[in-house]
Amino acid sequence: MAMQTLQHWSKNKPTNTTKKETKKTGSKRAIQSLTLAIVVPVSLTMTIIFMFGSGHKYQALDKPFGFPPLWFIHSASLGSSFLMGFAAWLVCAHGGFHTHPDALPLYIAQVSLSIVWDPLVLVIGARLLGLLFCVVNFGTLLACYYYFRKMTGDASDFTY
């Protein structure tokens, strides 16, 4: 009898939080997780650019007409990191990494490969190994697109 009273009391227990406060807390958490999902890959990319970004070997290469300038390569890396972080956040917000556990390692591999490519090609000058990294990175990008699209159609649009 006492157990039924306790269960009944806990179900009817008045709460001090209103719907407005709950929405506000949920919004705050969403903004914090969005900020974290974007800041981590972008800050890692920026750190690599500032540490290895001068690209003296790349500057010294005899480049044909179609080679992009160094600022364009760095801007594209930052943009890619931003968009992948945003896409990962969209997937995470829809609970996608729990339903498809293969997507998270693919996302981490894609971000890691894009971060490693910059010093590998621009500083060390390993062009053939950099080409291999580009091909593998493109494969992980396509795999991320495939898994992200399964989880949520919105996130797959940002995996470029």
Side-chain angles (χ1 to χ4, degrees):
M1 183 75 167
M3 189 63 160
Q4 289 177 342
T5 308
L6 181 64
Q7 288 177 351
H8 179 68
W9 177 79
S10 65
K11 288 180 184 175
N12 295 331
K13 181 181 170 185
T15 58
N16 294 335
T17 60
T18 63
K19 287 185 178 183
K20 189 174 183 180
E21 289 175 357
T22 308
K23 276 188 172 182
K24 191 174 184 180
T25 320
S27 308
K28 194 173 184 180
R29 281 187 179 173
I31 290 174
Q32 288 174 347
S33 66
L34 173 63
T35 304
L36 183 68
I38 290 175
V39 165
V40 169
V42 169
S43 64
L44 286 172
T45 303
M46 285 178 66
T47 302
I48 293 299
I49 288 171
F50 286 130
M51 288 176 62
F52 305 107
S54 63
H56 296 297
K57 289 191 177 192
Y58 184 78
Q59 300 281 356
L61 282 176
D62 187 28
K63 296 181 281 293
F65 174 70
F67 273 49
L70 200 54
W71 65 267
F72 185 77
I73 293 172
H74 294 316
S75 299
S77 284
L78 287 171
S80 175
S81 294
F82 176 83
L83 290 175
M84 281 301 291
F86 185 67
W89 176 77
L90 283 174
V91 168
C92 190
H94 288 101
F97 287 127
H98 299 293
T99 57
H100 293 288
D102 295 338
L104 185 61
L106 282 170
Y107 167 69
I108 292 171
Q110 193 279 328
V111 171
S112 301
L113 286 168
S114 66
I115 287 173
V116 169
W117 182 88
D118 198 27
L120 184 69
V121 174
L122 301 179
V123 178
I124 298 171
R127 289 176 270 177
L128 289 176
L129 190 58
L131 178 64
L132 177 68
F133 269 59
C134 276
V135 170
V136 173
N137 191 8
F138 185 70
T140 58
L141 188 65
L142 287 177
C144 283
Y145 178 79
Y146 173 74
Y147 279 109
F148 286 9
R149 188 171 184 170
K150 273 184 172 180
M151 292 177 250
T152 172
D154 300 336
S156 65
D157 295 338
F158 294 104
T159 56
Y160 296 116

